[in-house]
Amino acid sequence: MTHWIGWLELLAEQALLAAALLVVFDGCRRLVREGMTRRAALMVAIGLIPPVADAWLNLNVMHSVRALQADKLAAVALHGREPAGGWEKAASSPEQRTALSYQAATVAYLFEGGHIAVVDAQGARTPFVPAPDQERAREQFVRDEKAAESAAQASYERGLRLFAEAAAFMLAGAAVGWRQRRRA
């Protein structure tokens, strides 16, 4: 449900979650008051589906963002580093070494912000100077990464809140059912 957008979808989602939590509350109340009946157990099971599924999806967003960040670090480690022994000892033509060193410097800059040296065709090391479009791409990447981390954190917190709300409605229903059972 986290992919829904718009006011109508948001209202529908909140109404569905509220109804599901009320069904969980009433099901737990009936379970404690009347004992284990099929109807009460089914109410709790069906009522828990929307909040638990939504919470699970929200918690998985954080996992997905962390997996993407790990993939980024693996790509930088593979393509954004100088080979062992340096570019001078790489088994390739001078033009290929220059192209590969420029590619590694570009990857390191875009994903980590690091400046590594570039080897020219003569084998001389020169500092990597990013082009203006690479600087804009780096700035956009940093903004996007921070936004993704922030959205994942908010989604994670919402997932935990949904689990806590479901537990609270179950406990409240059990408390009301226990009180009704004592009065009877």
Side-chain angles (χ1 to χ4, degrees):
M1 287 184 235
T2 58
H3 62 280
W4 288 1
I5 54 173
W7 286 103
L8 187 60
E9 291 87 358
L10 180 64
L11 290 174
E13 177 186 9
Q14 294 306 313
L16 176 65
L17 288 173
L21 290 173
L22 289 175
V23 169
V24 167
F25 172 84
D26 194 44
C28 287
R29 182 186 61 81
R30 288 174 188 230
L31 276 175
V32 172
R33 188 183 71 195
E34 301 165 2
M36 183 60 98
T37 63
R38 228 181 265 170
R39 181 178 179 167
L42 188 61
M43 287 176 71
V44 171
I46 290 174
L48 282 176
I49 291 172
V52 170
D54 197 9
W56 187 260
L57 290 173
N58 282 308
L59 293 175
N60 278 337
V61 170
M62 179 65 86
H63 175 72
S64 298
V65 168
R66 295 264 164 84
L68 285 172
Q69 289 174 338
D71 290 346
K72 176 200 75 160
L73 292 176
V76 170
L78 184 62
H79 299 291
R81 302 278 187 261
E82 192 170 330
W87 290 111
E88 295 82 3
K89 295 184 181 182
S92 58
S93 69
E95 293 81 22
Q96 287 176 329
R97 277 195 306 251
T98 300
L100 289 173
S101 70
Y102 186 77
Q103 178 187 11
T106 301
V107 168
Y109 176 72
L110 288 177
F111 294 123
E112 290 183 327
H115 292 278
I116 62 175
V118 177
V119 176
D120 63 12
Q122 291 76 27
R125 290 183 172 266
T126 58
F128 174 73
V129 179
D133 62 328
Q134 290 173 329
E135 290 176 354
R136 284 191 297 275
R138 169 72 184 150
E139 290 170 4
Q140 185 62 44
F141 177 78
V142 170
R143 279 193 300 271
D144 291 346
E145 193 171 50
K146 286 181 181 178
E149 185 69 29
S150 176
Q153 185 65 35
S155 185
Y156 182 78
E157 291 168 1
R158 184 175 191 279
L160 290 179
R161 206 170 37 251
L162 280 169
F163 276 133
E165 288 171 3
F169 272 80
M170 290 175 76
L171 288 174
V176 169
W178 180 73
R179 187 172 177 179
Q180 289 174 346
R181 185 176 193 175
R182 279 189 57 200
R183 284 186 180 179

